[in-house]
């Protein structure tokens, strides 16, 4: 039973599909990835091809039963999951092994709420249209989502004023400093205004889950700033764990796991992805721990040795996604590795990602 079919739940299901009866439960009937915010906002068609993918597009999921439902609870002793379907009816699903992979909520681009494909499409298009209006955009935040958004917005709309406000002397504190040194040059070339040491005051009751406009105040006392569109990417992540018993969670609400990705005290229960408290960066999705997890799920009942997930100390990977000149992937040591545009389009995406990682994806045109 895979509870939450996002980036890491999907990959775990794909890995297990040949060896086990797999059921996946997810609030949406498609992968709605949290990756590559900047590309999603500026080039939604292109983003959707790989990051908004109905489950029936994945060949490996032909063997997996997917259920669109919101998880509401789990009976760990009785080994059943409780969930609610879109028509309001309750479902209970028994399991032998359970994977908790419900991720986190973060801004308007990562929600856990039930949504139809049409609603997901409408939200993505509305955010793009909103940013396309007006002449100035302010991006607030110091993580990869904020840097990705600022770079892509400035590249897409060179005539707009794009400013990035971040709370420390540099953004990307969880990456190696070289990553920002490199990306800073690109942002300056793109004309992005960089504003270090700006911590925004969040309006009372505002969940940072919408694009706003007007004035933003700073807790450091700097003069307020304003823009036609304000994008809040301040890392207010909330784990999607309301459906789980409290004793599975750490003090911040993430699922406690051992290095083998097991939930201590509950045989057959595992967690992966942004919801799993594997390490301070909760990095098991990006570092492809689905391989370790699939091995352990199959090995545990047979008493075979389990494998451990070993997290790197720093974030790595792509920050601003695929650009007209290719894609840059930053190593944990901060050095960029650039794959030019042609091999990105002709080799990396079709062969390594769609064929290799996802084991075959049928043609996908989710935005019509
Ligand atoms: C192959 C790969 C490459 C990556 N590359 C990068 C990179 O280059 N740079 C980088 O910074 N990061 C990268 N990442 C990491 C990525 O940004 C996130 O860490 C990842 O999206 C988190 O995945 P997740 O499965 O934990 O959560 P999500 O993808 O958010 O999945 C959670 C799922 O659970 C569902 N859900 C939640 N609550 C409920 C409920 N109550 N009932 C039913 N369903 C529910 C949600 O709707 C969602 O579908 C990568 C990840 C992968 C897998």
């Amino acid at each position: 039973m895979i509870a939450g079919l996002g980036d890491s739940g999907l990959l775990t299901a794909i890995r297990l599909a040949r060896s086990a009866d797999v059921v996946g439960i997810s609030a949406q009937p498609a992968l709605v990835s949290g990756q590559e915010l900047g590309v999603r906002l500026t080039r939604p068609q292109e983003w959707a091809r790989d990051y908004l993918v109905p489950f029936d597009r994945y060949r490996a999921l032909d063997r997996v039963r997917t259920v669109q439902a919101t998880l509401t609870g789990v009976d760990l002793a009785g080994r059943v999951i409780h969930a609610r379907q879109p028509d309001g009816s309750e479902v209970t699903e028994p399991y032998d092994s359970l994977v908790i992979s419900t991720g986190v909520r973060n801004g308007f681009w990562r929600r856990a709420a039930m949504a139809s494909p049409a609603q997901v499409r409408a939200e993505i298009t509305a955010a793009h249209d909103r940013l396309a209006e007006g002449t100035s955009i302010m991006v607030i935040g110091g993580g990869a989502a904020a840097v990705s958004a600022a770079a892509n917005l400035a590249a897409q709309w060179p005539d707009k004023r794009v400013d990035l406000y971040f709370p420390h002397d540099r953004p990307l504190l969880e990456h190696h400093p070289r990553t920002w040194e490199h990306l800073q040059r690109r942002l300056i070339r793109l004309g992005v205004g960089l504003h270090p040491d700006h911590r925004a005051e969040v309006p009372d009751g505002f969940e940072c889950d919408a694009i706003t406009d007007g004035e933003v105040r700073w807790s450091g006392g700097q003069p307020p700033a304003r823009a036609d569109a304000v994008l809040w990417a301040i890392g207010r992540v909330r784990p999607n764990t309301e459906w789980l018993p409290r004793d599975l969670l750490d003090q911040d609400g993430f699922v406690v796991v051992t290095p083998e990705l097991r939930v201590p005290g509950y045989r057959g229960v595992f967690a992966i992805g942004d919801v799993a408290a594997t390490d301070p960066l909760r990095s098991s999705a990006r570092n492809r721990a689905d391989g370790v997890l699939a091995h352990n799920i199959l090995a545990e009942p047979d008493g075979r040795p389990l494998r451990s997930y070993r997290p790197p100390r720093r974030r790595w990977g792509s920050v601003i996604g695929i650009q007209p000149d290719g894609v840059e992937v930053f190593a944990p040591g901060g050095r960029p590795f650039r794959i030019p545009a042609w091999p990105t389009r002709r080799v990396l995406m079709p062969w390594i990602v769609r064929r290799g990682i996802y084991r075959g994806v049928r043609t996908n045109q989710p935005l019509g």
Side-chain angles (χ1 to χ4, degrees), residues 38-196:
V39 180
R40 168 172 166 165
L41 293 172
T42 53
R43 291 171 275 146
Q45 288 281 359
E46 212 177 301
W47 177 85
R49 175 169 181 176
D50 292 298
Y51 297 111
L52 174 60
V53 185
F55 294 136
D56 65 5
R57 302 287 84 198
Y58 295 100
R59 293 185 191 283
L61 289 194
D62 290 351
R63 296 159 180 263
V64 171
R65 183 159 65 88
T66 58
V67 179
Q68 189 188 1
T70 298
L71 295 149
T72 51
V74 55
D75 171 359
L76 292 164
R79 292 182 179 246
V80 282
I81 280 286
H82 300 282
R84 193 176 316 108
Q85 292 184 301
D87 63 4
S89 60
E90 305 289 329
V91 277
T92 52
E93 288 277 349
Y95 65 84
D96 296 317
S97 301
L98 169 66
V99 174
I100 299 167
S101 50
T102 39
V104 299
R105 317 190 265 291
N106 183 13
F108 61 85
W109 60 96
R110 283 184 84 185
R111 301 195 199 270
M114 178 78 66
S116 67
Q119 285 166 324
V120 175
R121 281 197 297 272
E123 276 198 14
I124 289 170
T125 311
H128 172 266
D129 294 349
R130 171 76 178 82
L131 291 163
E133 294 163 5
T135 59
S136 58
I137 304 175
M138 194 191 302
V139 181
I140 305 177
V147 172
S148 163
N152 281 284
L153 290 164
Q156 177 76 10
W157 291 299
D159 296 339
K160 290 188 199 294
R161 182 180 168 80
V162 177
D163 287 281
L164 174 65
Y165 291 83
F166 41 96
H168 300 284
D169 59 340
R170 68 169 170 93
L172 303 180
L173 291 181
E174 292 167 345
H175 291 71
H176 192 283
R178 266 198 289 263
T179 307
W180 173 242
E181 275 165 32
H182 183 88
L183 281 172
Q184 182 178 22
R185 289 196 286 275
R186 186 184 276 257
L187 265 69
I188 290 171
R189 270 201 314 277
L190 288 167
V192 176
L194 300 177
H195 305 269

Side-chain angles (χ1 to χ4, degrees), residues 198-266:
H198 280 68
R199 184 175 290 278
E201 285 178 5
V202 181
D204 279 346
F206 176 52
E207 295 282 331
C208 299
D209 55 357
I211 296 170
T212 60
D213 56 15
E215 194 173 85
V216 175
R217 297 179 169 276
W218 313 103
S219 57
Q222 296 97 332
R226 55 170 50 251
D228 297 331
V230 182
L231 184 68
W232 298 79
I234 60 171
R236 285 212 163 164
V237 297
R238 305 232 167 79
N240 295 319
T241 49
E242 291 80 2
W243 61 285
L244 290 170
R246 188 62 239 172
D247 68 324
L248 265 54
L249 311 178
D250 69 10
Q251 59 186 21
D252 298 318
F254 294 88
V255 180
V256 176
V257 283
T258 66
E260 296 79 28
L261 305 174
R262 291 169 77 174
V263 175
Y266 296 96

Side-chain angles (χ1 to χ4, degrees), residues 4-9 11 25-28 34-35 69-71 101-104 110-112 240 243 272-275 285-286 288 316-318 358:
L5 278 179
D7 279 321
S8 40
L11 286 165
I25 296 199
S26 204
Q28 297 99 11
Q35 292 186 55
T70 298
L71 295 149
S101 50
T102 39
V104 299
R110 283 184 84 185
R111 301 195 199 270
N240 295 319
W243 61 285
I272 188 169
D274 290 3
V275 80
R286 203 288 150 261
R288 301 295 318 278
W316 68 283
S318 126
Y358 291 96

